[in-house]
Each structure stands twice: as structure tokens, then as C-alpha cells.
Amino acid sequence: MARRYDSRTTIFSPEGKLYQVEYAMEAISHAGTVLGLLAKDGVVLAAEKKVTGKLLDLSATKEGGYGGSGEKIFLLSSNVIGGLAGLTADANSLVNFARTAAQRHLLAYDEDIPVELLAQRLCDMKQGYTQFGGLRPFGVSLLYAGYDPHYQFQLYRSDPSGNYSGWKATCIGANNGTAQSLLKQEYKDDIEVKDAIGLALRTMSKTMDSTTLGSEKCRRSAVEFAVLTLDPVTGKPKAKIYRPAEIDLLLEKEGLAKKDEDTEMKAA
Amino acid sequence: MSIMDQNGGSVIAMVGKDCVAIASDLRLGNEALAVSSNFQKIFPITDRIYLGLPGLATDVTTLKERFRFRVNMYTIKEEREIEPETFAHLVSSTLYEHRFGPYYVEPVMAGISKTPSGGFKPFIAATDLIGCLNYAKDFVVAGTASSKLYGVAEGLWEPDLEPEDLFETISQTIMNALDRDAYSGWGCIVHVLTKDKVITRTLKARMD
Amino acid sequence: METSFAITGKGYVIVAADTTASRSIIKMKTDEDKVKTLSPHLLMAYSGEPGDTVHFAEYVERNIRLYQIRNLYPLRPSAAAAWIRRALATSLRSRSPYSVNLLVGGYDTASHDPHLYWIDFLGTMTEVPFAAHGYGAYFALSLLDRYHDPEASLEDGLIALKRCIRQVEERLVVTPGKYKVKVVSKDGIQEIDL
């Protein structure tokens, strides 16, 4: 009987549910964790990427591309970085849409797109896929870390249904419940970026499968990391997506770095 | 009165030794009436490319915004900055798209391009209003004072000028050419680009 | 002849426009308000082809209002001006372009400073400390070159405006008559009776 209501996104079940949308959210709860922290003077994003094996060619991403955008954290606009959890293929198409939407706003109004407006643009599209038939919803949740002159630093989260909400600290993907409750305990309203970086990484290390973190290579899990602050000289938002080497340095500072005697390394 | 002379304004770019310079006036007029003395017509595209857009001011603004859109999308997708040669073709094809109803602008660009061996090479180019590219080894000019700029530049420019000497040459060229053009003037701005930095100076010019 | 002025000062922009609505050489109306309030901190004076002016001003007014309803906060002056400019630039290459000249003055509540934009029917836009459209511009701009002070109080700003108006009355063959004067500052918009 249930089969009748979950093959299409557009049809409610007798209990009033949209099964395909809920399945999409379920898919995301198995994806790599992405967490965001809003600080007084910036926003921090951290993401877990699941590297599938040592044969995967990472030579292109090793150095990090423009601003070091990686697998899960992308620059969406000069004032917004996005952290994505879910299907990578769907995510790529959403990232492209977000970037175009941001540039269209810049073209029309000669100003960077307000963060909430960018979240709205994506959610309008995501919502469309829960209502118009024949298609499946996007299997992607996003965190938006951004800055605009209206509300300064902001952090938003959106899910496949097209809902979005603003947060001080939040998490999407696997173990997001654990991370969320950790963040709830540790978060302080007047936290600064330098402390937020530590908190983000510590929370990350507790939610991930392995106890020590790294940035790269044949480890089962690795971290991506980004910070949005204001450039002290120009006063404009400055996104920094950390390169693998810089992440290792950060982890070392926080005492979370991997040890030399890594079991997996040895096995390999 | 040509539509190209509606708002006035001029731009010049010059090649030096491992450096380039680009300069413009700052006037915006409505025919003979001056409206603004701080109308920028040179725009940074990347840290190593500057674009000058003399011509009809409405198209200057429209094109500046369109190029910003295209270059931002290029940078973010390609994950690297655009090279001057590539950008020149972007300018050219954007203008030629409007072959039979053109933007009334004659772009001038100056940049430092990367060579395959890892070195740097100065680059300047200009196009007409429908995007015909003109690469030059010495200097390019455009705008209402272009004929005067040609004359002075022809006399002052010499090859292999160091950044500071190139700054002096381009400054003297534009200041003296502008004095003979009623539609350009009201201050000048000069940018000198080298492989690792940009020197920007505004010149104290005649304000009449 | 249609004339509009705008002057920035310390924390405010004065926007003024004459109040005549004319058709050819005939004055049809002498109390027309040609300064529109686009948002709580944004003013726009418009002049040009009758018909085009009112239609375009209302089109702008409603689009700016729509943005405010959708997003809960209004566009900043710079963003609003850029959007208006784009509308005119697009219109220029359409079958029937709008012939409307604008002065857009606003107070930016995010950066706490006044902004003034001079825009003509071609879509030419520039930010200026003072501006004028129409025949009055030929008198006002040179006067304001001499008397404008970006740090002037509102009283001094209005004195500069009166200077411009008096000069136009004295020297222009066809004087526009009365003016509508509005000021935008951090406290919003107020109308001033000269």
C-alpha cells in the first residue's frame, strides 16, 4: 500500500507525508557531516568528506583550486560560502545555480546578494521539485555562511523540502543530532572566530568515525574547512577556504591531528 | 555630434619593461556641460588586468557590469584567474554579438600575462566598437582625445621603460593631450601594473 | 522649463523639482509633485517627456516597493539606483525608449550616509555631491561648484538651494515658478516649504 504514495514526489500519503522528500532527507543523514558556527566577527564552516580509497586521484584537489574550494565547501559568491551534504551530483548543479543567482543579483543591483535572498533563491527551486511531477527532489542540504550589510554575519540551513532557517550554530549530515547537542552545550553568544574554529574542529572530531583528523590521502575521513570574515583593510567580506596543508596545521594546533602511526597507513 | 562624443572621455595604455600602464581622464559630461569630475572609466578585472572603457557612459556602466558577471563566473568555475589574451577575446566577442546595434564603447585593456615557462609578459590591446581586436607593441589610445593622444604618445614613448619612467611618460602624454580636448579632462587617473603589484595615482590636472 | 536640483549635506540629501506640468508651451498645472518617495529613505525627482515620466516613475516605485515587501527591508540607495539605471539602459534599446531624467537621493541606513545619483534617459549614472537636470542645470551647477559644502547643515543646504532657484528665476527666459522640496535623512523623508 505504501508503494502507492512514495513513487512520486507530488503525492501526499494518507498520513499527509511526502515520502520522496523524507527519503531525500534520510539520504542526507548518511552523508558527511557539515557544521557551521556563527561568531561575532565571522562565520566558520567545517565538513567531513568521505574519501573512498587510496586509488582515488586527488592530484587536482591537492593544492585546492581557486580559494581552495573542495568537495563539500564551495564559494557561492564573494560574500557567501556554502557547505553541502548529500548527493554530490545534485550538489554540483545546485552550486552552479547558486553562483548564477548571486551573479544575477550583482548584475541587477550592483551589490552582493543578501545571504537570506540567496538561500531563498535555492529554496524556491528545491521546493519546486517537491511539487511539480515526474522529478525527484534534490538530495542536498546546505549551510550558507555569509555576510551582508543588512544583518552582518549570518548562517542559514536549507533541506530538500525547500525549508530554510537561520542559526547560531548548526549541523547537517551524519550524526547531526550528536553534533547539534554538543554545539548547544559549548556555544556562547559572544564567541569569536578564533574560538569558533577550535569549537568547530573539536565538535567535528567527536562526531566523525575516526578519533584523529587529517586533511587528505587514504584516511577514511578527512576535514574541509572555511572561514568568512571581514577584510580589515577593505571592510569587505573575505572567504577563506583552507587548503589541505593549512587544515593539517590547524588540527595540529588544536591537538586533533593524526598520529604518525596510523593503522590504516600501516595496512596500506 | 557623434554618439561617441555624448559624454566625452579618453583612455590610453602603454607597454614598458615587464610592466604596463593605463590612464584615463575623470570627466563625465552631457555634451558640453560637465556633470561629474569623478567618473571612473578604468576597471580592475583581475589583479593583473585593467580595462578602460571610453565612449557612451550608459554603455560603459552596462559593459562593466556584464564583464564583471562573465569574469566572476569564469574565475569561480575555472578555479583560476582569466588571462589577458582570453579576456581580450571575451571583450571582442561580447561586442561583436551586438554587431548591428553596437555598444558605443572602444575598450582599451592592459595586463600582464603568464607565459608557459612561468615568466610574465606585458599585454595591451584595444578594440573598436564592434570588437575588432588591435594588439600593439607600444601603445593604444581611444576616446574623444584619441587623435591628440596619438600625437603626444608618438613623441614621448620609447621602448623598455621602467615602471616609474613609464608612469611619467603616460602621465605627461595624457595630461598634455587632454588640454587640447574640450570633452576630456577634469582630472586623471593612472595605473601601472607589474607582475606583483599595481600602482594607482590620481594626477592633479587642470579643472577647466 | 522643467528644472530639478539635488544637494547633499551632512547626513541629508535635498531633492527639489519645479511643480509645473506643461504640454508644449502651455502650463497645464502648477502644483504637480515630481518628487516621488520610493522607500522610507529614498527620493526620486523625475523630468522629461510627459507621460513617460509618470509611467516610468510609478513602474520604479512599485518595483522598489515589491522588493521591500518580499525581503522585509528596502533596497539600499546604491542598489536601487543601479536597478533604475539598468531599467533605463534596457529601455534605451527597445522599440519605444522612456525619455526620463532622474535625480535619486537617499540615506543609506546600513552605512549611515547620504547618496545622490544623477541619471539621464540614456541610463548614464554617476554619484555626485550635487546635481541638476533641465535648463536650470546650466545655472545651478556652476553656482554649486562655488557654494556647495558637503558638511553643510540643513539650513545652509537650503540657502544654497534658494540661491540656485533665485538665479534661475532671474536669468532663465521661461521660469518654472514654484518648487517642491523634500529632504531625506536618517529620520526619513520630510517635505519643506521654502
Side-chain angles (χ1 to χ4, degrees), chain A residues 127-224:
Chain A
Q127 189 282 141
Y129 281 78
T130 69
Q131 187 170 187
F132 299 105
L135 304 160
R136 67 172 171 82
F138 281 97
V140 182
S141 279
L142 279 103
L143 293 188
Y144 311 82
Y147 175 89
D148 65 53
H150 299 284
Y151 299 119
Q152 275 72 36
F153 291 105
Q154 294 151 77
L155 176 67
Y156 293 94
R157 180 177 106 172
S158 74
D159 67 24
S161 69
N163 271 327
Y164 76 91
S165 41
W167 294 80
K168 290 173 179 171
T170 190
C171 178
I172 51 176
N175 297 324
N176 70 75
T178 325
Q180 200 100 359
S181 52
L182 276 169
L183 288 170
K184 205 192 271 176
Q185 282 167 23
E186 302 252 345
Y187 185 82
K188 287 179 200 70
D189 269 339
D190 57 348
I191 194 166
E192 285 180 25
V193 162
K194 57 176 176 13
D195 304 319
I197 291 173
L199 177 53
L201 288 174
R202 263 180 285 126
T203 314
M204 208 66 195
S205 80
K206 283 178 193 157
T207 54
M208 278 161 64
D209 301 337
S210 54
T211 48
T212 54
L213 301 180
S215 64
E216 214 34 82
K217 295 200 182 122
C218 54
R219 308 193 43 77
R220 268 204 14 248
S221 30
V223 187
E224 272 184 51

Side-chain angles (χ1 to χ4, degrees), chain C residues 1 5 7 14 20-21 30 38 40 42 44-45 50 53 56-57 59 70 75 90-91 105 116 144 149 178 194:
Chain C
M1 291 282 150
F5 306 115
I7 304 171
I14 305 171
T20 50
T30 54
L38 297 181
L42 196 62
M44 179 175 83
T53 50
F56 184 76
Y59 169 73
R70 278 185 174 156
L75 278 168
T90 312
S91 149
L116 170 62
L144 289 169
D149 174 9
K178 290 204 310 264
L194 274 187

Side-chain angles (χ1 to χ4, degrees), chain A residues 94-113:
Chain A
L94 273 181
V95 164
N96 184 234
F97 178 85
R99 288 171 171 178
T100 315
Q103 287 307 126
R104 276 212 313 271
H105 185 96
L106 184 63
L107 188 67
Y109 299 104
D110 197 21
E111 69 169 13
D112 285 333
I113 190 166

Side-chain angles (χ1 to χ4, degrees), chain A residues 3 10 25 37 65 74 99 106 109 118 133 158 161 166 188 190 227 242 244 254:
Chain A
R3 284 273 139 227
T10 50
M25 298 208 206
L37 267 170
F74 294 86
R99 288 171 171 178
L106 184 63
Y109 299 104
L118 182 61
S158 74
S161 69
K188 287 179 200 70
D190 57 348
V227 175
Y242 282 67
E254 297 295 331

